[in-house]
Amino acid sequence: MGERSQIRMQKLIFDSFRELMENNDFSDITITDIADKALVHRNTVYHHFTDKYDLLDKFINYEFKNREFNFRNFKDQPFKFFHDLYYSSIEKVINQQKDDHTFETIAQNSFLKLIINTQNDEHVFWQIGKIAGILLWNDLNENKYDMFRDYQLLDEIYRTEKFPKNNE
């Protein structure tokens, strides 16, 4: 398959995947669902992606690869940065997936890798470490705070380096 054909096929699969994620929980979507929506054989999907988790990771990269990032905002308010960027591109997907922990984890990790790969500043690793610490703390507290809805509180934790008390 030529390069242009592969790019066209990936775009078709991404568009179908996006539409499915706008209406279904990520955890409920299968490769067969994606293939049916794209009107291709499921082996075609597997030719381009290892599984649906790989597809989600590559979908995130596809959505943001040609974007200009204002990292000045990322350095001060990383959770607002994630919120604004995601909502400007895949708001319907985020709203549908808001309670799907698997989606959120893969999306977070994909985006962090994208930031690392687009920066020439090694300081970004310290910022990512701090963000990862907050996300891990949140995960250990049964995801009390949503990365997209509670970004202001998460940015406050990032800024002050203080976690809220258990009763807050």
Side-chain angles (χ1 to χ4, degrees):
M1 188 181 282
E3 184 179 341
R4 294 181 83 152
S5 294
Q6 284 189 335
I7 292 169
R8 239 187 335 273
M9 183 56 65
Q10 286 180 345
K11 182 180 179 341
L12 174 64
I13 293 169
F14 286 144
D15 290 346
S16 299
F17 187 48
R18 171 199 290 273
E19 191 172 329
L20 284 167
M21 286 194 300
E22 287 175 352
N23 298 299
N24 304 282
D25 291 342
F26 173 77
S27 297
D28 295 335
I29 298 171
T30 66
I31 291 293
T32 302
D33 296 333
I34 297 161
D36 289 348
K37 188 73 169 168
L39 301 174
V40 299
H41 194 277
R42 62 193 295 268
N43 287 342
T44 302
V45 178
Y46 282 118
H47 175 74
H48 294 277
F49 309 99
T50 307
D51 51 31
K52 73 177 187 176
Y53 308 101
D54 179 48
L55 174 55
L56 178 56
D57 181 53
K58 289 180 177 155
F59 172 78
I60 298 294
N61 283 302
Y62 172 79
E63 285 296 318
F64 298 110
K65 74 177 179 181
N66 294 320
R67 292 239 160 165
E68 288 294 322
F69 297 113
N70 182 352
F71 281 98
R72 193 173 37 243
N73 293 343
F74 172 75
K75 291 175 182 178
D76 298 329
Q77 298 176 307
F79 293 98
K80 182 176 186 332
F81 177 83
F82 294 142
H83 170 272
D84 293 349
L85 193 60
Y86 271 105
Y87 273 93
S88 69
S89 293
I90 55 174
E91 179 177 5
K92 287 181 184 177
V93 171
I94 294 295
N95 287 333
Q96 176 63 37
Q97 304 306 322
K98 68 181 178 274
D99 296 323
D100 193 311
H101 182 66
T102 303
F103 171 87
E104 186 174 295
T105 300
I106 293 169
Q108 289 169 1
N109 291 336
S110 297
F111 199 71
L112 292 175
K113 285 189 296 187
L114 184 65
I115 289 171
I116 290 168
N117 291 331
T118 58
Q119 292 300 290
N120 294 325
D121 179 6
E122 290 184 359
H123 189 70
V124 74
F125 285 100
W126 295 110
Q127 293 165 308
I128 299 245
K130 203 166 154 180
I131 293 165
I134 293 167
L135 294 174
L136 179 59
W137 167 83
N138 192 44
D139 197 34
L140 292 172
N141 284 282
E142 299 174 352
N143 295 301
K144 185 175 182 178
Y145 303 106
D146 181 89
M147 183 170 156
F148 301 107
R149 288 185 298 245
D150 300 319
Y151 66 89
Q152 292 168 320
L153 176 68
L154 295 171
D155 276 334
E156 180 69 13
I157 294 169
Y158 179 87
R159 188 181 63 71
T160 64
E161 299 181 352
K162 293 181 182 174
F163 295 112
K165 302 289 183 223
N166 288 337
N167 57 358
E168 289 182 34

